[in-house]
């Protein structure tokens, strides 16, 4: 069948790309082949606009067991164990059907982890929405949180961390990034490389329906709502739970050669990737794929994104055993084809061959682009705008009011309303739970060790300076891991950007990747996995560039960790830090409505040093309380500690002033590489001494006590007063509580 | 006709082709109970709204508008007004 | 066949491993997981129905699990006076199976809730609470979307007058107050027992309060009973 | 009559006196959208079972039995068979 003029545009291929396909094949593609190319050469699968830059990221270290290229990365955490992790986006589906979009995002990332042979032990989520006073944003927020909880809670995987921020740039472009961490014994790690011609390809899990046709290309078209697409996927966590247990049991035997989940571009991408990773071919018959619906075409079966499916490469002699195990979980296994030696992906529909293409053409031959990158002059202006017209906090009550406002603001308030909807106590491994510390800490059964996990990105920093902002994201995520006592080991990332064909967005993407690379090198953190989500842009706006960074670290002894809880009588020490400044700060944005100025400078050596002294003190059991100073500066960080502890503080010390010695700069200004530590007098003296020896700045700020917080020169608050505003911030609004609809 | 009280019953179902894990689970449950003749199950929601309206047509139109705006997400669900009745009478 | 504790596992159970570990590592009781297809519980000293989403739980939590093969022997076991504890989804299953009165409705907020609560045990002693002092307050986490205990007033009155309200949500001092009720349960009920006192359903998770390192170990006070059953059964 | 395919629609509602937070939330949502005339909302489930049956009566009886045994919990819910139709025809 000839391809109709322009049919390639329906699958988001350009005219040039179509010509390239014809040249590579030496003929027109068949309709099924065209659909498969569209999916494989989409941004989502082909990384057309990001691959050249992703090469800048450091990926090696002696402790890396699996770097980018597999379904997830893996690092050695000692005792013969590996941590397996990745973060992935589900932004576009969540913009249209937030509950299911977020739920299936969790389902997808969890499959990536157990495909590697690891048992998933933790989930985290990084979310961005437009302001919550818009009903549409409130609806997205409620249902995204509901969907993440709905899926993860049912699976029985604790959701132990995450972050959420609100900004008008996310109107119509919510970001929903989910991270999963699993644990495996080194020897149990599984890869997704097909090998051994003659081995069976076996599909297990859900039946195939018309779900999410064109999902992979959907994210590459400017307006996802207007674009032509199939049915939104609806996830079934119960089925995923069965699939998870079945797969982990299968991997304990010797019959599985490789395992690959079906995600974006469904069967197409899993068959192609399995074959191309292994340098082999594959032949499947779509007639053997169990369907949920009648009348599905070969094209639809190949591109369906039905959830909860897994492709196995099985030794033929093991097929019966595999089937028996799978059926014990109430699932069925269908042998749909086999591995071949000819390097071709051949798709049959019964006797008819509907596609036959060398696997490499779908992967290696995918074009890459380095689009023109140019910074938006408007951003340069905002970054360099003078801030000296901002009035300082001179009026007697102003400092008091600012702290209350920041603590109660959407970006500064308690996230309890979110994490209480996630089961974070299941699996009885959560040592530091959400809200209790800067990173989650999990204990590992059968080992004294713990794993620390944090996810972070300051989108505002990245919007004003993507390179520096991305460096901050790595530093802050690592700092959070150090604050609980974890030794950061490696990074996963999710690059959320606008349309890369616009020079200003291409600039942000390129610079952010450079920033990630620089910080990862500087802090010795290899990047082991990640994901790219572009086209987060509507006619009205593009998202603030958001390179989400997940960091996983290890504690040699999980009992030696730190939380945000101080005790009455504790001394408070500020470790590290430079002069704080107002540029790009939360204070400036919230109080003065200005997203301006440059993010603070970041010195990676100093950062590493500050993290090390704090981490070492925790590991030596000399420190139990630590907290990073981030958005909102010192005053906010102190208030957060007081609230987490239920114990107030008297702050009579003088931390470093900003360049102009202003009150607002000192207490609300931001600068990285600062950690608040608290403990009894001798512990704090020891820590201060250690800082002196290492050439790290340290300032005694005061002590914890009572039920009031008093900050020298700024103001005094009742803890109850602080708590009231802090907890109110995300409280549900009357009327739109998690109900479907409200689609203004 | 003067304003009166009406009950509008809206039924919201997963759209054709949309995966329905709840229906699947119920089908599995019924099969396990021995109902071998069960071929398929779809599960949805029913919402009964009691409202003030000038008449049956008015009530029906209000129910449909509410369903369109709040009760169903057209991306995955379809709805119809299944019944309209003056209040007091069972639908 | 040792008289260990059986932890039932339905296809979507996800608290089975936690319950197993709390019983074995936490209180030192022999325990094993029992598949929902097993049909013999005669060797067991006690049976625990753990938390989770037994069959995805779309229709009503526990509705489909009630018909699993293992439920017939469970009924017989309970009828013989065997100690049965349903935790969270296990409680929902026992209610659906009419082994306990009432039902569990969606939380008043329509949201899933996960946090630590306090519960006060002041019903008549049951198989599972004999070791607790009257009025003892335990700190246990909840994690559920459908935990609002419901029964008609007559049933509630009867439960109350016969001491079968095993535990109620309370504040840390032990006062049963509306503010401490996390889900809209009738009369603040967190746990109930059957008439004979051998079958208990509890919404909070004792098995997750099994080690100070993860936030508390109060749940072991409850699970301690398991050890007594094993000893008694030998 | 020979075996045929039937669709039975069962409606399950919270019983009178049983709390219905979902209905309450929808009512709140509708009010917030400006529907001041909404007096009350109850939310329930609708389950459509496609089954083999000898005729409409048979199908209805089967649906009622399934509802009684599985689809509704009599402690909190009431049910009725709302529709029975041969498959192919829209209910
Ligand atoms: N931003 C990134 N940084 C590092 N690795 C990346 C990045 N984006 C994608 N990768 C890696 O590329 C591979 C393919 O990613 P992806 O297509 O998302 O995998 P999947 O098929 O599991 O969805 C994965 O190994 C992933 O970790
Ligand atoms: Mg994958």
């Amino acid at each position: 069948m000839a391809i109709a003029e322009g049919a390639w545009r329906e699958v988001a291929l350009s005219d040039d790309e179509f010509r390239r396909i014809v040249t590579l094949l030496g003929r027109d593609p068949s309709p099924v082949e065209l659909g498969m190319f569209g999916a494989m050469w989409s941004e989502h699968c082909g990384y057309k606009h990001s691959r050249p830059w992703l090469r800048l990221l450091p990926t090696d270290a002696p402790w890396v067991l699996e770097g980018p290229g597999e379904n997830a990365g893996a690092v050695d955490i000692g005792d013969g164990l590996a941590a397996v992790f990745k973060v992935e986006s589900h932004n576009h589906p969540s913009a249209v059907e937030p509950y299911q979009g977020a739920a299936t995002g969790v389902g997808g990332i969890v499959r990536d982890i157990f495909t590697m042979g690891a048992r998933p032990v933790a989930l985290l989520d990084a979310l961005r929405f437009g302001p919550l006073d818009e009903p549409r944003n409130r609806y997205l927020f409620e249902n995204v949180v509901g969907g993440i909880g709905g899926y993860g809670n049912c699976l029985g995987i604790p959701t132990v961390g995450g972050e959420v921020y609100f900004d008008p740039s996310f109107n119509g472009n919510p970001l929903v990034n989910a991270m999963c961490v699993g644990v495996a014994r080194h020897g149990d790690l599984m890869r997704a490389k097909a090998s051994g011609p003659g081995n069976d390809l076996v599909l297990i899990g859900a039946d195939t329906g018309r779900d999410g046709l064109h999902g992979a290309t959907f994210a590459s078209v400017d307006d996802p709502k207007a674009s032509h697409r199939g049915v939104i996927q609806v996830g079934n966590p119960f089925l995923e739970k069965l699939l998870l247990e079945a797969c982990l049991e299968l991997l304990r035997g010797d019959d599985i050669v490789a395992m690959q989940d079906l995600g974006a571009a469904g069967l197409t991408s899993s068959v192609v990737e399995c074959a191309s990773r292994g340098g082999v071919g594959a032949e499947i018959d779509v007639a053997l794929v169990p369907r949920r619906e009648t009348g599905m075409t070969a094209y639809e079966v190949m591109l369906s994104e039905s959830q909860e499916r897994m492709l196995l490469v099985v030794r033929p002699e093991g097929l019966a055993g595999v089937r028996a195990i799978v059926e014990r979980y109430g699932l069925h296994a269908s042998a749909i084809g086999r591995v071949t030696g000819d390097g071709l992906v051949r798709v049959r529909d019964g006797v008819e061959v509907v596609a036959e293409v060398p696997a490499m053409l779908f992967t290696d031959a995918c074009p890459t682009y380095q689009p023109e990158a140019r910074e938006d002059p408007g951003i340069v202006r905002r970054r360099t705008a003078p801030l000296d017209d901002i009035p300082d906090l001179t009026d007697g009550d102003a400092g008091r009011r600012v702290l209350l406002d920041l603590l109660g603001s959407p970006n500064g308030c308690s996230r309890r309303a979110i994490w209480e909807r996630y089961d974070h106590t299941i699996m009885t491994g959560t040592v530091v739970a959400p809200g209790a510390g800067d990173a989650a800490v999990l204990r590992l059964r059968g080992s004294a060790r713990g794993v620390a996990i944090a996810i972070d990105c300051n989108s505002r920093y990245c919007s004003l300076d993507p390179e520096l902002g991305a460096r901050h994201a790595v530093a802050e995520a690592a700092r959070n891991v150090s604050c609980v006592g974890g030794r950061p080991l490696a990074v996963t990332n999710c690059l959320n950007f606008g349309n890369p064909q616009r020079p200003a967005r291409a600039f942000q993407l390129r610079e952010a990747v450079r920033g990630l690379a620089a910080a990862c090198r500087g802090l010795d953190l290899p990047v082991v996995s990640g994901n790219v989500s572009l086209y987060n842009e509507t006619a009205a706006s593009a998202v603030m560039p958001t390179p989400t960074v997940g960091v996983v670290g290890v504690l040699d002894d999980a009992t030696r960790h730190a939380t945000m809880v101080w005790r009455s009588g504790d001394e408070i020490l500020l470790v590290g830090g430079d002069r704080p400044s107002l540029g790009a700060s939360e204070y400036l944005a919230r109080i003065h409505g200005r997203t301006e100025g440059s993010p603070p400078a970041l010195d990676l050596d100093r950062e590493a040093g500050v993290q090390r002294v704090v981490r070492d003190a925790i590991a030596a059991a000399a420190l139990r309380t630590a907290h990073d100073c981030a958005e909102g500066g010192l005053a906010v960080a102190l208030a957060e500690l007081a609230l987490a502890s239920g114990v107030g503080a008297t702050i009579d010390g003088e931390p470093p002033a900003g360049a102009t010695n202003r009150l607002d700069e000192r207490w609300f200004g931001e600068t990285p590489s600062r950690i608040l530590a608290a403990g009894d007098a001798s512990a704090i003296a020891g820590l201060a001494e250690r800082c002196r020896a290492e050439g790290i700045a340290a300032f005694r700020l005061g002590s914890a006590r009572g039920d009031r917080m008093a900050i020298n020169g700024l103001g005094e608050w009742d803890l109850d007063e602080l708590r009231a505003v802090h907890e109110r911030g995300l409280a549900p609004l009357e009327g739109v509580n998690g109900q479907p609809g409200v689609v203004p | 006709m003067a304003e009166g009280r009406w009950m509008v019953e809206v039924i919201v179902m997963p759209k054709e082709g949309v995966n329905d894990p709840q229906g699947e689970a119920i089908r599995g449950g019924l099969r396990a109970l021995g109902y071998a003749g069960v071929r398929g199950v779809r599960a949805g929601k029913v919402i009964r709204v009691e409202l003030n309206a000038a008449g049956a047509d008015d009530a029906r139109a209000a129910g449909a508008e509410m369903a369109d705006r709040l009760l169903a997400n057209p991306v995955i669900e379809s709805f119809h007004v299944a019944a309209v009745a003056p209040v007091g009478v069972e639908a | 066949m040792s008289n260990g504790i059986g932890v039932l596992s339905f296809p979507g159970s996800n608290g089975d491993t936690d319950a197993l570990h709390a019983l074995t590592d936490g209180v030192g009781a022999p325990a094993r997981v029992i598949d929902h297809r097993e049909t013999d519980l005669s060797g067991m000293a006690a049976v625990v129905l753990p938390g989770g989403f037994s069959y995805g739980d779309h229709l009503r939590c526990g509705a489909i699990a009630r018909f699993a093969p293992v439920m017939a022997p469970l009924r017989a076991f309970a009828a013989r006076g065997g100690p049965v504890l349903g935790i969270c989804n296990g409680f929902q299953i026992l209610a659906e199976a009419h082994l306990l009165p009432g039902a569990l409705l969606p939380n008043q907020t329509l949201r899933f809730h996960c946090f630590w609560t306090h519960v006060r045990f002041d019903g008549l002693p049951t198989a599972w609470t004999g070791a607790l002092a009257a009025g003892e307050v335990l700190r246990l986490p909840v994690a559920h979307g459908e935990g609002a205990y419901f029964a008609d007033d007559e049933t509630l009155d009867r439960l109350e007058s016969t001491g079968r309200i095993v535990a109620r949500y309370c504040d840390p001092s032990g006062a049963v107050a509306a503010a401490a009720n996390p889900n809209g349960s009738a009369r603040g009920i967190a746990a109930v027992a059957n008439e004979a006192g051998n079958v208990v359903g509890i919404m909070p998770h004792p098995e997750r309060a099994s080690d100070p390192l993860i936030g508390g170990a109060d749940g072991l006070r409850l699970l301690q009973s398991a050890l007594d059953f094993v000893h008694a059964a030998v």
Side-chain angles (χ1 to χ4, degrees), chain B residues 8 51-53 56-67 81:
Chain B
V8 181
L51 42 71
N52 298 328
D57 289 350
D58 211 43
R60 175 180 297 273
E65 192 188 289
M66 290 170 191
V81 176

Side-chain angles (χ1 to χ4, degrees), chain B residues 24-83:
Chain B
E24 292 285 303
I26 296 171
R27 187 180 64 151
L30 290 172
R31 288 255 177 94
L33 274 182
Y35 296 102
V38 171
R39 308 174 65 104
V41 176
R42 301 287 279 175
K45 290 177 288 204
V46 48
I47 296 128
R48 290 199 184 143
V49 183
E50 195 183 312
L51 42 71
N52 298 328
D57 289 350
D58 211 43
R60 175 180 297 273
E65 192 188 289
M66 290 170 191
D68 192 41
R69 291 183 64 192
L70 179 75
L71 306 178
N73 180 353
V75 179
I76 51 170
E77 295 167 325
S78 62
F79 69 86
H80 70 281
V81 176

Side-chain angles (χ1 to χ4, degrees), chain A residues 70-72 86 88 108 111-112 115 260-263 273 277:
Chain A
E70 279 289 335
N71 283 296
K86 185 180 178 192
E88 199 157 68
R111 282 195 296 285
D112 274 337
T115 303
Q260 169 65 46
D261 63 303
L262 278 75
E273 279 175 10
R277 281 198 195 106

Side-chain angles (χ1 to χ4, degrees), chain A residues 96-98 100 139 209-211 229 231-238 292-293 307-308 735-736 739-743, chain B residues 12 14-22 24-25 27 42 45 47 66-77:
Chain A
V96 194
E97 213 313 300
Q100 295 298 339
Y139 161 73
R210 290 192 177 84
D211 320 55
R229 37 181 183 80
V231 182
I232 291 282
Q233 303 107 295
V234 170
N236 184 349
F238 170 58
R292 200 180 69 228
E293 295 176 69
Q307 301 291 294
E308 292 98 18
V736 273
Q739 286 304 310
V742 194
V743 188
Chain B
V12 179
K15 278 210 293 208
E16 267 275 295
V18 169
N19 196 14
D20 175 19
Q22 185 179 358
E24 292 285 303
R27 187 180 64 151
R42 301 287 279 175
K45 290 177 288 204
I47 296 128
M66 290 170 191
D68 192 41
R69 291 183 64 192
L70 179 75
L71 306 178
N73 180 353
V75 179
I76 51 170
E77 295 167 325

Side-chain angles (χ1 to χ4, degrees), chain A residues 665-695:
Chain A
E665 252 178 349
R666 170 173 288 164
W667 295 108
F668 300 110
E670 297 175 15
T671 183
S673 321
R674 290 192 296 180
I675 295 173
L676 284 165
D680 62 37
S682 76
I684 290 303
L687 181 59
E689 177 50 40
R690 179 74 201 287
C691 289
R692 207 161 21 247
E694 301 257 341

